[in-house]
């Protein structure tokens, strides 16, 4: 019987991260994959994070709670949470969006990270965004 997987997509505000914090964050997310078989995507925008976690439901929930308490995450907004039939992301991907630089990927899918915090987006659209991001990064 295949293992049940959970997928969570959320945004949070960070207010800016230093190069040291960025390096530390990158190491942490790659460690998640290596130690706990958590996959997903971390997009670091000018002011916001977009995070997608995939893996064992208990592990994903544990890390979601940990991130909610992390001082780097403010105004955590869960966009999508539930079981999934399979992984969209094999391992971890990290993408940093440069200040003032339009991001082609988000332009192509027609939304910016900051907009995800303020829009009600239906589940099929969020699932499509996840698939588009998995192919683009």
């Amino acid at each position: 019987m295949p293992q049940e997987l959970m997928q969570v997509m959320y945004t949070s505000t960070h207010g800016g991260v230093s190069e040291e914090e960025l390096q530390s964050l990158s190491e942490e997310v790659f460690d998640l994959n290596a130690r706990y078989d958590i996959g997903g995507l971390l997009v670091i925008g000018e002011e916001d994070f977009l995070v997608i976690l995939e893996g064992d439901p208990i592990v994903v929930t544990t890390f979601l709670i940990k991130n909610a308490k992390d001082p780097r995450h403010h105004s955590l907004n869960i966009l999508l949470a539930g079981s999934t039939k399979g992984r969209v992301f094999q391992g971890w991907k990290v993408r940093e969006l440069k200040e003032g630089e339009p991001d082609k990927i988000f332009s192509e899918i027609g939304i910016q990270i900051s907009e995800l915090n303020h829009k009600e987006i239906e589940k099929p659209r969020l699932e499509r965004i996840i698939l588009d991001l998995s192919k683009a990064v």
Side-chain angles (χ1 to χ4, degrees), residues 10-137:
Y10 68 89
T11 59
S12 65
T13 303
H14 58 71
V17 290
S18 69
E19 284 298 317
E20 288 128 6
E21 288 172 313
L22 183 60
Q23 181 63 35
S24 173
L25 220 56
S26 293
E27 290 170 6
E28 285 177 39
V29 295
F30 286 107
D31 185 54
L32 277 175
N33 177 255
R35 293 175 66 196
Y36 302 104
D37 195 29
I38 295 289
L41 173 68
L42 168 63
V43 179
I44 305 164
E46 290 180 46
E47 299 277 324
D48 303 294
F49 291 121
L50 170 65
V51 181
I52 301 168
L53 297 170
E54 295 179 332
D56 177 89
I58 293 171
V59 177
V60 168
T61 302
T62 300
F63 282 100
L64 181 60
I65 292 167
K66 178 182 179 268
N67 289 344
K69 295 177 182 179
D70 187 321
R72 294 173 291 198
H73 295 271
H74 305 279
S75 304
L76 194 133
N77 180 23
I78 297 174
L79 303 168
L80 181 71
S83 61
T84 183
K85 293 179 182 167
R87 290 184 186 267
V88 176
F89 295 92
Q90 299 302 317
W92 261 105
K93 300 193 185 271
V94 175
R95 182 176 181 97
E96 179 184 7
L97 305 181
K98 301 294 183 193
E99 185 176 339
E101 180 182 294
D103 189 78
K104 182 180 173 193
I105 293 168
F106 285 94
S107 295
E108 288 174 1
I109 62 176
I111 199 157
Q112 298 299 317
I113 297 174
S114 58
E115 291 178 277
L116 291 170
N117 285 325
H118 308 290
K119 286 189 174 183
E120 298 249 344
I121 302 173
E122 294 183 12
K123 184 178 178 180
R125 174 76 172 124
L126 290 170
E127 290 171 339
R128 185 77 216 153
I129 289 170
I130 291 170
L131 285 174
D132 290 346
L133 287 171
S134 73
K135 295 173 186 170
V137 291

